[in-house]
Amino acid sequence: MLGDEALALGALHAGLSGVYAYPGTPSTEITEYIQASPLARDRKVHCQWSCNEKTAMEAALGASYAGKRAMVCMKHVGMNVCADAFVNSGVTGASGGLVVVACDDPSMHSSQNEQDSRFYAEFAMVPCLEPSNQQEAYDMVRFAFDYSEMYHTPVLMRLTTRMAHSRAVVKTGEMRDENPLRFPEDQKRWVLLPAVARVRNEQIIKQYAQYEEDSEKGNVLSGPKAEMGVIACGIGWNYLMENIEGEPSFPTLKVTRYPVSKKQVRELASMCKTILVVEEGQPLLEKALRGYLPVYNEIKGRLDGTLPRTGELTPDALRKALGMDDKETCSKSEVAVPRPPALCMGCGHRDFYTALNMVVKDYPTARVFSDIGCYTLGYLAPFHAINSCVDMGASITMAIGASESGVHPSIAVIGDSTFTHSGMTGLLDAVNMGANITVCISDNLTTGMTGGQDSAAFGRIENICLGIGVPKEHVRLIIPLPKNYEEMQKVIREEIEYRGVSVVVCRRECIQTAKRHLKKQ
Amino acid sequence: MKKDIILSGVGGQGILSIATVIGWAAIKNRLYLKQAEVHGMSQRGGDVQSNLRLSSDPIFSDLIPKGECELIISMEPMEALRYLPYLKKGGWIITNSAPFVNIPSYPEISAIDADLKKDANVISFDSDQIAKDCGAPRSSNMALLGAAARYIEILDVEALKEGIRNVFARKGEKIVEDNIKAFEAGFEIAAKR
Ligand SMILES: Cc1ncc(C[n+]2csc(CCOP(=O)(O)OP(=O)(O)O)c2C)c(N)n1
Ligand code: SF4
């Protein structure tokens, strides 16, 4: 099973009542596994996609309030979207087990940045678990639910791409029932008025110290005294073990639980002169070890270049850090050139960009603010059609700001799923401000980039725009096909010329999902 | 005993099916297995690879370290080149010779061939054509697996065929037979070299 699937099955076996999620690589397969699971179907486990990570997080918190075990899944940047709910759920605490799964994407295989979700756990004073292999992903999620119920806290589980998308055989354990409906005994902590929150804050600080002590039972210190010791977090442990024969001949601390115990780290430090910190993502622990003041031990890791400062860890990078020689390999070829991803042949986004480009070439001052989805690939050759891609929903709002600063035409390009994720509130701003922008919703009736999940406002995009207050004459529909290029250009041009908010819905099904639908028939 | 294999190709060429078949056979034969895959953005016509590790002992890393890979199975000749720094000197490359050209700067095929042969043993043949010739145009990937079969060593040919039968079973008898035919044709090609 994939690491994602192992975690999903572990959650089902641990008595999950609902998974709440918005798709995002590399987390998508967790929810998809549960959606396809006969066990989940029999038990009526909730597994429908949410509109975005914040609505998912809050719905899961509600389920936890009612005593049920709930899980939230997202990619790392989803943590930014649900941060308000996540951090405050740290203050209310949980009732039924509440596990938040964040999948980080070091090396940015499919992401805008390399943020490390462990910081969110520390920030919200929530315990964090980071399995090092697929079996641990399965086992740990049950522990996470138990720990969550024991301390009435949400628990963050962090995976990284390599773990999420790698398969191994997993031994399964017992299955347990869901929790019954049960209201929290302590009603007060769910109402975060300042007077309540202040009390909770004190409690959580105490609890956080307890998590640190508890982590000693999960993180393993072993090995004899030596010149150098290693702290290896998550899958960093695998890369360490890959490079050495048998048991380590030096002190090691295998970390799968945070906050890491200072006592354990000091113990390791007393057994060696140099400490190598191996962590996937950002140097969270390494920074803490270095601190501001002199340290007795020499610390090595990502900050001094012993390991690369950015990107995914590899067994090769660690081999170098351990001072071991390279193995003999075939020589690298200079002939191979990069092969970047591209929009599928026949994709509607292609026809949309072709028509848009024909119009935009007549407006040298036009700027196209795009968003995140397959259509972001319109940046690449042959289209070079967009000027920005920042975070989900930023197309409409950036277009507003640019327009008010004098950019004209100010055009937003957004997908249907991204529109319902976080574009709708921006459109309301635009209407209220009377912004002079043209919003193109490239509606392929699905969430294409992440593999074709259902899109939240299927068939209701125009009604939503009307409801938000875009005038009826300026909510237009075009069908992106080569035979319609003239008509498409005409509509886009008219709406650019209109002074106010207009929406051009450009609708044709994603050919990948269309193929799947055909096969099913 | 262990075998580290890199599968490579372009998104949509079916390398994950090759991985699934080998993986199925490995589990059936009680081997340890790790299989790192590419999901997400690159699947849209970009380069994709899968690191497949089989062993009679527990495996730690999901990624194959440089110089440990013994076999590259590639659905596309230039994609095979990309992973040379992982291949042991004298390792084997089994590749489809038909280029997949979806980029403007695609290199000369002769330059690709020269680099492939530099430090490695190569079996290169047009698996698309072989699959077509057996009346199974969509089974190019299984023709390639057939050609690679004898170099996988840790699994025998019958185990792989059983893998094909099981992995494709839910798609119907015809698809299973097509894939077996392509596999056998590929196997014969490699036998002649
Ligand atoms: C906060 C956040 N959540 C999830 C993602 C992952 N993600 C990127 S694009 C996308 C969906 C795009 O769907 P849509 O807007 O319909 O465009 P399409 O890909 O279908 O063209 C998702 C879920 C992300 N980048 N950021
Ligand atoms: S997956 Fe769908 S939306 Fe994405 S590029 Fe392919 S056809 Fe277009």
Side-chain angles (χ1 to χ4, degrees), chain A residues 22-25 53 75 77-78 81 112 349 372-375 392 414-419 421 444 446-450 455:
Chain A
Y22 182 73
T25 316
E53 292 85 353
K75 70 183 289 155
V77 285
V81 176
Q112 313 104 285
H349 296 319
I372 305 194
C374 284
Y375 51 93
M392 288 187 79
I414 187 168
D416 49 323
S417 181
T418 304
F419 179 65
H421 178 281
N444 55 4
T446 189
T447 316
M449 179 97 269
T450 43
S455 181

Side-chain angles (χ1 to χ4, degrees), chain A residues 2 25 29 109-110 133-134 162 165-169 238-239 241-242 312-316 327-342 344 374 377 448-451 519, chain B residues 10 27 33-37 39-41 44-47 53 60-63 65-68 76 78-79 81-82 84-89 100 102-103 105-107 111-112 115 118-120:
Chain A
L2 293 175
T25 316
E29 290 82 358
H109 297 282
S110 313
N133 58 41
Q134 292 78 354
R162 209 44 71 183
H165 286 169
S166 175
R167 285 177 204 279
V169 175
N238 299 347
Y239 298 148
M241 295 303 284
E242 180 72 34
E312 180 175 27
L313 278 179
T314 62
D316 307 316
K327 295 197 173 146
E328 206 184 7
T329 76
C330 294
S331 42
K332 188 169 180 244
S333 164
E334 303 300 329
V335 174
V337 291
R339 194 190 294 266
C344 302
C374 284
L377 297 171
M449 179 97 269
T450 43
K519 257 192 201 160
Chain B
V10 180
I27 292 171
L33 162 83
K34 286 231 173 186
Q35 179 191 329
E37 302 171 357
H39 294 207
M41 192 118 169
R44 312 254 159 290
D47 56 282
R53 313 195 72 188
F60 288 104
S61 170
D62 297 274
L63 291 174
K66 288 197 170 131
E68 289 280 318
E76 210 280 343
M78 185 185 79
E79 292 308 323
L81 283 186
R82 227 183 272 290
L84 283 177
Y86 292 87
L87 190 65
K88 265 194 184 128
K89 249 201 168 125
F100 189 103
N102 63 348
I103 43 170
S105 53
Y106 196 91
I112 295 179
D115 269 15
K118 213 153 116 201
D119 301 318

Side-chain angles (χ1 to χ4, degrees), chain A residues 1-14 16 26-34 39 71 73 101 103 131-143 145 157 159 162-174, chain B residues 34 62:
Chain A
M1 313 183 96
L2 293 175
D4 273 352
E5 296 171 343
L7 191 151
L9 186 62
L12 281 174
H13 286 175
L16 181 77
S27 71
T28 313
E29 290 82 358
I30 303 172
T31 306
E32 287 184 332
Y33 182 87
I34 296 174
L39 172 65
M71 182 161 79
C73 305
V101 185
C103 296
S132 76
N133 58 41
Q134 292 78 354
Q135 185 67 51
E136 284 182 2
Y138 175 88
D139 296 334
M140 262 186 199
V141 67
R142 177 182 289 240
F143 171 78
F145 278 115
M157 270 186 85
L159 298 188
R162 209 44 71 183
M163 248 295 286
H165 286 169
S166 175
R167 285 177 204 279
V169 175
V170 170
K171 279 204 195 75
T172 58
E174 279 165 52
Chain B
K34 286 231 173 186
D62 297 274

